Each structure stands twice: as structure tokens, then as C-alpha cells.
Amino acid sequence: MHQLFATRASRMKASEIRELLKLLDQPGIISFAGGIPDPTLFPADSFAQAFQQALGPQLQAQALQYSVSEGYMPLRQWIAEHMCQIGVECRADDVLITSGSQQALDYLGKLFLSPGDTALVGWPTYLGALAAFNAYEPRFDRLRTNGNAGAAEYGTEAGEGAIKFAYLSPDFANPTGETVDLRGREALLDLAQDLGCAIIEDGAYQALRYDGDAIPPVLALELARKGDLQACRTIYCGSFSKTLSPGLRVGWVVAAKPIISQLVLMKQAADLHSATINQMAVHQVAQACFDTHIPKVRDTYRARRDAMLAALDQHMPDGVSWTRPEGGMFIWLTLPPGSDGAQLLACALDTVKVAFVPGQAFHPDGSGTNTIRLSFSNSDEATIAEGIRRLGQILGT
Ligand code: PMP
């Protein structure tokens, strides 16, 4: 059967890490592996009310019927206002609803990448973006942003392919937790201008800032330069997954009209539209409680981040370093040269029952063996302290 598959299928591989992570179901494991929200933070009562209303006499016909590919208009309007608040002046027409931002990444890969084209990505970068783009058979080349130096550069690992876009998550990236500062964002815009390529700005964690001042999205900075969204080359992908609920699969794209129109055609071909009832519920809940709910989410995760940083300070041996994120869900550890994150995971599961994700999978070239990703979003402070103490034990021996 395999010989019947398209060439792209051979690039889609299950990772060995998944096999190890299956062990997470064992009792007593402390897991810093999955980058998932704490389910106790879902505004479940508000969603229950919203679904009841969507299924009530006024809305049920619309909620259960086919709908337009662009998305539920009141939600697009809410998102346009939200984007204005974070510095991106746009209108509902500039917004496309997607089934999570993951779908946007897939469509953007489909829209931009022919086999052999180049995508610039961080080394490391979000694994799901690599998986989405990989299906379109690109080469990956390394994007470096360095705000302190006001620089953005790319490597030459990929060779000759036409550079189509630079992908990054500028706020509290998955997996490093790092943020690209203002100068780094400006430098990235200069680089994209020089290369004539697009920028895919992944704002999945944008709302989860725990301290420091917000930095305008790359798209906001480009808008300030050009004065017109239609002249911008940055494509902003947003999501309700980290703030309200990932299970409802509601995300969005804001970009210039020619890009939105192409993505609408793709959505028509792929799934017609995202579930209307989910969009209605997200709209209702966002309107009723986004501004009051998000501070609660931030307070919870801030305390967990602080607990993890304090425990790392206390228990990590010399030679281990880590990031100090201002938001998001992740801390990235660099172990001494020669260490192997995958071996460490096998050992940690076996001996101290702690799980995390080895960093290699986030590197398109398979480097980063001596790195690991820890997520602090889904464990309470005491569990975090205990898990890091145990990790320190095996790293110190
Ligand atoms: N981008 C980043 C950086 C992520 O970490 C994730 C989820 N882990 C996504 C996009 C996809 O999220 P969703 O499809 O749920 O919006």
C-alpha cells in the first residue's frame, strides 16, 4: 500500500518520543510534557450557557446549519476589535475563522510552499508548525532574531530554494518561552522586506503575559510603517485555545485581502467552515467574560512559572541553564554538552517518574540533543517543586 502514497507521506513520521510519552498514563508520574491548558481554568459554566442559548429557538437553525467559510460574523467582529486593542487596526472582513490556529498553519503551508521552497523557522521552533509545513515538502532554513543587536538573519542550511516566508511565535514561543523584543521585530520586518517574503506571526500565547509590557505584534509594526493592512506581508494567526478552550478548535487569521481570499478557497475545499455552534459559543463567552477571565488564567500560570523558576534555581546542578519567560507555558533547559534529552527522559520516567519533552524534535536538523522543554501550565506549585527536585536528583548524579 505504501507505494501508492504521495511522496509527502514519507515525510510524516511518528516520533519515538510519543512512544515514551504513552507511559504518562502510569500512576504517580509528574508530567511537564504536554503544553496544554489546565482544564480547571476553562470557563465551563459560561460555555454551558452559551451552548444552551445557541440551541435555543432563536439561534438553533443557524447553529446547526451549513454556514459561510469566512466564519460567524459576530465572532469576526469581536476578533477585529480585539486585534485593534493589541495594536492591529483591522475590520471583520480581514478576519478568517479557522479550526484552531493549527489549521491556519497547514493552509499557509499549502498556499506558499511548493516542493523545494524554503521556510525560515527558529531552531528550535513549534513542532506542529514543522509538521504542518513539512507536508508541502519545503526545505527549512534557520531564522535568527536578535533584538539586542537589532538583527534578524537567516542561515544557508537550505541552499537554493526560494524563501517564501519566515515563521515565528514572537511572544513566549513554544518551546523556548522566549520573546522577540521590539528591535528584533523591526529587524525581522526589514529582513522580510529585503527577501520579499511573507511573515507568519503565530500569536498562540500572545494573551498570556505575566510581567513586563506588551510588545506590539509584528503585524502592528508593519501596519505602522505602511498605514494599510492591504499592503502588509505579515499574516497573524490567533487562537482561543490557550485562553478559553482548545477543544472547540476556534482560531483566526488576520491578513491582507488577497491572502484571506485564497485561504477562504482552501477552507471551502478542506472543511467548508469551522463548526458554527462552536464559533457562536466562543463569541458569546468571549464577549461575556474574556476580559475578566484572562487575568485569572494569567495569575494561575504566573504562580506556576515562578514556582518552576524557583525550584530550578534551587535544584539544578551547575552546567544547566534555562530561559526565564515573561509568559506562555514553557521553560527551555540547556543541559551540558554531550547530554541526551531523550535518554534523560527514559531515565526520568523509569527512576523518578517525571516527564518532559526532549528538545531535539523541535529542531528541523535534528540538533538540540542536549535540550529539553518543561511545561508549567498543568501542575500546581507543590507538584512543580517536587517534580523539579526529582529532576535535579537525576541530573546531579
Ligand atoms: N502555535 C503554537 C505555538 C502552539 O503551541 C499551538 C498549540 N500547541 C498551536 C499553534 C496550535 O494551537 P490551536 O490549533 O489549538 O490554536
Side-chain angles (χ1 to χ4, degrees):
M1 193 58 125
H2 277 87
Q3 73 279 7
L4 297 178
F5 294 168
T7 49
R8 74 182 77 91
S10 66
R11 298 170 62 117
M12 300 176 184
K13 294 210 171 68
S15 77
E16 313 124 35
I17 297 162
R18 269 187 193 281
E19 295 303 311
L20 280 174
L21 294 180
K22 278 186 193 154
L23 302 171
L24 290 190
D25 291 340
Q26 286 174 11
I29 296 267
I30 295 180
S31 178
F32 303 132
I36 56 173
D38 182 337
T40 64
L41 291 169
F42 298 151
D45 291 342
S46 305
F47 273 118
Q49 271 177 16
F51 275 103
Q52 210 170 14
Q53 188 166 332
L55 289 171
Q58 275 183 354
L59 291 176
Q60 61 185 199
Q62 195 184 356
L64 298 174
Q65 188 54 281
Y66 281 122
S67 182
V68 293
S69 302
E70 288 83 347
Y72 179 56
M73 189 41 114
L75 179 63
R76 294 169 73 204
Q77 276 158 350
W78 187 93
I79 290 168
E81 280 165 32
H82 171 74
M83 292 301 294
C84 290
Q85 277 170 19
I86 64 169
V88 177
E89 290 293 326
C90 66
R91 295 155 22 130
D93 277 355
D94 305 313
V95 179
L96 164 72
I97 305 293
T98 53
S99 299
S101 52
Q102 190 65 33
Q103 184 175 58
L105 298 178
D106 175 44
Y107 289 175
L108 289 166
K110 202 182 223 178
L111 179 59
F112 282 95
L113 298 171
S114 298
D117 283 345
T118 294
L120 301 182
V121 296
W123 242 241
T125 197
Y126 169 48
L127 188 53
L130 291 178
F133 302 151
N134 208 19
Y136 302 102
E137 306 179 62
R139 308 162 201 247
F140 291 110
D141 208 340
R142 181 172 185 163
L143 174 70
R144 285 190 189 85
T145 47
N146 182 347
N148 287 333
E153 302 162 354
Y154 65 102
T156 49
E157 284 86 349
E160 298 295 297
I163 297 173
K164 294 299 187 68
F165 60 73
Y167 163 82
L168 85 167
S169 190
D171 292 300
F172 336 118
N174 178 1
T176 63
E178 285 175 331
T179 294
V180 179
D181 69 13
L182 189 61
R183 290 187 68 193
R185 294 177 197 214
E186 293 285 6
L188 177 69
L189 281 169
D190 294 339
L191 179 73
Q193 180 76 36
D194 289 350
L195 293 172
C197 74
I199 296 172
I200 300 179
E201 176 172 29
D202 183 337
Y205 299 92
Q206 197 275 339
L208 299 184
R209 174 175 279 282
Y210 312 136
D211 36 47
D213 294 330
I215 305 173
V218 177
L219 180 53
L221 297 172
E222 188 176 12
L223 252 173
R225 289 183 181 195
K226 298 191 172 149
D228 179 7
L229 179 64
Q230 307 316 324
C232 290
R233 57 177 73 244
T234 304
I235 302 153
Y236 186 97
C237 304
S239 176
F240 289 103
S241 290
K242 318 295 174 183
T243 50
L244 297 182
S245 157
L248 295 175
R249 311 305 303 130
V250 180
W252 70 89
V253 178
V254 173
K257 293 246 159 46
I259 296 170
I260 295 291
S261 311
Q262 281 293 326
L263 294 176
V264 169
L265 295 179
M266 279 176 185
K267 195 153 174 66
Q268 272 165 11
D271 69 349
L272 300 181
H273 61 82
S274 296
T276 311
I277 193 165
N278 291 3
Q279 297 184 62
M280 285 176 157
V282 166
H283 169 246
Q284 170 116 2
V285 172
Q287 199 174 34
C289 71
F290 193 85
D291 292 341
T292 49
H293 180 67
I294 300 311
K296 288 184 213 155
V297 177
R298 287 192 194 123
D299 288 348
T300 305
Y301 292 158
R302 180 190 299 108
R304 292 175 181 181
R305 176 207 56 180
D306 291 346
M308 190 171 271
L309 287 173
L312 288 166
D313 285 336
Q314 192 180 348
H315 297 295
M316 284 301 120
D318 285 350
V320 179
S321 58
W322 54 91
T323 54
R324 304 191 83 86
E326 293 184 325
M329 296 183 172
F330 306 106
I331 295 178
W332 182 248
L333 263 66
T334 305
L335 311 174
S339 310
D340 183 332
Q343 272 174 17
L344 184 73
L345 174 62
C347 169
L349 284 170
D350 196 33
T351 59
V352 291
K353 301 214 176 301
V354 174
F356 50 81
V357 182
Q360 199 176 359
F362 301 96
H363 293 72
D365 65 346
S367 62
T369 329
N370 64 327
T371 55
I372 64 173
R373 187 193 76 177
L374 302 178
S375 166
F376 52 80
S377 56
N378 210 7
S379 316
D380 62 30
E381 286 97 303
T383 309
I384 288 173
E386 172 60 14
I388 298 297
R389 188 191 66 75
R390 293 187 199 174
L391 204 55
Q393 238 174 22
I394 56 164
L395 274 168
T397 52

